[in-house]
Amino acid sequence: WDKTMKHRSDKVKERCRKGIPQSVRAKAWMLLSGAETMKKRSPGQYDELLSMTVDDKVMDEIQKDLHRTFPEYEMFKSPLGYGQADLCSILKCYVLHNPVVGYCQAMAPVAACLLMVMPAEDAFWMMVTVCDNYLPNYYAKGLAQLQLDADILRSLVLKTVPDVGKHLQSLDVHPLLYMTEWFMCLYTRTLEWSCVLRVLDMFFCEGVKVLFRVAGAILQLTLGTSQQRAQYPGLMEVSVMLRKLPDEAITSEYLLPQCLKLNITSKDMARRHAQQLEKKANGHA
C-alpha cells in the first residue's frame, strides 16, 4: 500500500474522486487514513478501552445523543439495538483514548457514519484519525481551529466564487453560521447519504481541503447566480436556506462536479492558514 501511494498516488486520487466501490470502501478508508497502521500498532487497545469506565457526566452526555443520531436508519432506531450500543462504545473509547479533547456532540454522527461502513473496532480507529489527525483541535473546547478555518473559508470563497463571497459579506453572514455543522460533522448531517460517502472517499484521500471545496460548491450551487442571490436578499433568508439546502446542492450528480471544478490546492490552504495565524498574532500583539 505504501508503494502504491508513493508511486501511483494520482491514480488512487482519481479512483477516490470517481467513488470507491462499496465492497472495498471500508478497507480503503482504513488504508487511506492511516487507521489500519494505528490498529496494527496497538493490538488489543480497543478491547482494553472498552473494559474501562468513563466519568458519569461524560457518559450521560454520550447516551443522551445516541437516540438523536440518525434515528431514521434502522441500525440506530432501537436503544437496545447493536447500532446504538456500538456507537456508545466508540465514543466512550475515544474519550478514554484522548481525555484532553473528550466528547463533543458533533462526533456522534461521524462515528455513526463510519459504523454504517465498517465494524466497530475499525470505526474507532477511524475516529482517532479524524479527530487527532485530519481535524486536530476541532472538537476541543473553544473550537479554535474551526474559527481559524472559518476565516480561511471566507477568503477562499472570495477567491473562488467572488460574487457569492461579496454577497455573504454584504449581509454579514459569517462562515461559522453555516459551516460549523458541515465541517464538524463531515457533511454527514447535510448531504444525501450516497453523496456523503463520495465526499468521504475524497476526504480520506486528499484531506481537509475537500471540506472547503464542498463548501464552495454548495455556495456556488445555491447563490451562484444573480437570480439566486436576489431570492435570498437578507441574513435570515440565507441562513435558513444554508441550514436546509435545496436538493441540487446535496446530491452527487450536481455537487461533486462543481466541487472538482474549484481550484483549491494544499499549497493554497497552507498559505492561507499561515496568513490567518499571522493576522491573529498581530491582533493579539
Side-chain angles (χ1 to χ4, degrees):
W1 174 254
D2 290 341
K3 285 181 182 177
T4 301
M5 286 304 292
K6 186 176 181 181
H7 299 295
R8 303 187 68 190
S9 59
D10 286 344
K11 274 284 185 189
V12 173
K13 182 164 73 173
E14 185 183 336
R15 177 67 266 180
C16 291
R17 287 182 173 189
K18 287 180 179 176
I20 299 171
Q22 183 63 28
S23 59
V24 294
R25 180 170 273 128
K27 189 68 174 176
W29 284 6
M30 289 287 286
L31 290 166
L32 288 165
S33 65
E36 184 71 25
T37 302
M38 282 188 176
K39 181 183 173 184
K40 285 179 178 174
R41 283 180 183 163
S42 307
Q45 185 174 334
Y46 179 67
D47 289 333
E48 185 181 333
L49 291 170
L50 267 181
S51 68
M52 298 165 65
T53 56
V54 296
D55 180 79
D56 287 345
K57 186 179 176 184
V58 175
M59 201 64 193
D60 284 346
E61 286 178 24
I62 290 173
Q63 288 177 333
K64 280 178 188 172
D65 290 335
L66 296 179
H67 74 280
R68 301 173 186 159
T69 307
F70 300 138
E72 67 273 22
Y73 288 98
E74 193 64 38
M75 183 175 177
F76 298 107
K77 269 184 182 174
S78 172
L80 302 175
Y82 74 94
Q84 286 197 26
D86 283 345
L87 180 57
C88 184
S89 295
I90 291 170
L91 297 171
K92 167 194 150 180
C93 287
Y94 181 77
V95 170
L96 291 164
H97 161 79
N98 192 342
V100 174
V101 171
Y103 174 67
C104 170
Q105 192 176 41
M107 292 175 176
V110 176
C113 172
L114 294 169
L115 266 177
M116 286 190 268
V117 175
M118 60 187 63
E121 183 175 2
D122 290 351
F124 162 72
W125 287 111
M126 288 293 299
M127 278 299 291
V128 172
T129 64
V130 168
C131 300
D132 296 0
N133 299 343
Y134 284 88
L135 302 175
N137 301 318
Y138 253 60
Y139 303 101
K141 287 178 175 62
L143 308 177
Q145 185 59 47
L146 183 71
Q147 292 181 50
L148 183 67
D149 281 355
D151 292 332
I152 293 171
L153 179 59
R154 177 160 43 192
S155 70
L156 282 169
V157 169
L158 282 167
K159 175 208 167 191
T160 56
V161 279
D163 289 342
V164 177
K166 288 171 188 172
H167 182 65
L168 293 173
Q169 208 166 50
S170 71
L171 299 177
D172 201 24
V173 179
H174 193 280
L176 284 175
L177 287 174
Y178 56 86
M179 57 90 77
T180 299
E181 183 174 85
W182 293 359
F183 278 44
M184 291 187 76
C185 298
L186 299 182
Y187 294 99
T188 55
R189 294 175 63 87
T190 304
L191 306 177
E192 186 183 76
W193 175 242
S194 61
C195 192
V196 169
L197 295 175
R198 292 285 303 280
V199 166
L200 292 180
D201 288 344
M202 295 188 291
F203 173 72
F204 291 125
C205 178
E206 300 180 53
V208 72
K209 68 183 177 185
V210 171
L211 304 185
F212 288 86
R213 276 197 192 132
V214 173
I218 289 173
L219 295 173
Q220 175 71 52
L221 288 167
T222 54
L223 294 166
T225 67
S226 56
Q227 291 93 334
Q228 287 172 318
R229 293 191 291 277
Q231 192 180 345
Y232 305 107
L235 171 64
M236 182 62 71
E237 292 91 341
V238 170
S239 299
V240 169
M241 183 273 291
L242 291 176
R243 278 198 297 271
K244 187 166 177 54
L245 293 166
D247 289 347
E248 63 268 20
I250 63 173
T251 58
S252 303
E253 179 186 359
Y254 298 104
L255 181 64
L256 297 183
Q258 188 63 44
C259 177
L260 294 173
K261 284 180 191 173
L262 293 179
N263 184 27
I264 298 174
T265 65
S266 297
K267 283 184 181 176
D268 195 21
M269 290 287 302
R271 182 172 61 81
R272 289 173 189 277
H273 185 262
Q275 285 173 346
Q276 291 302 328
L277 283 177
E278 188 179 347
K279 276 185 188 177
K280 287 193 181 297
N282 291 338
H284 287 302

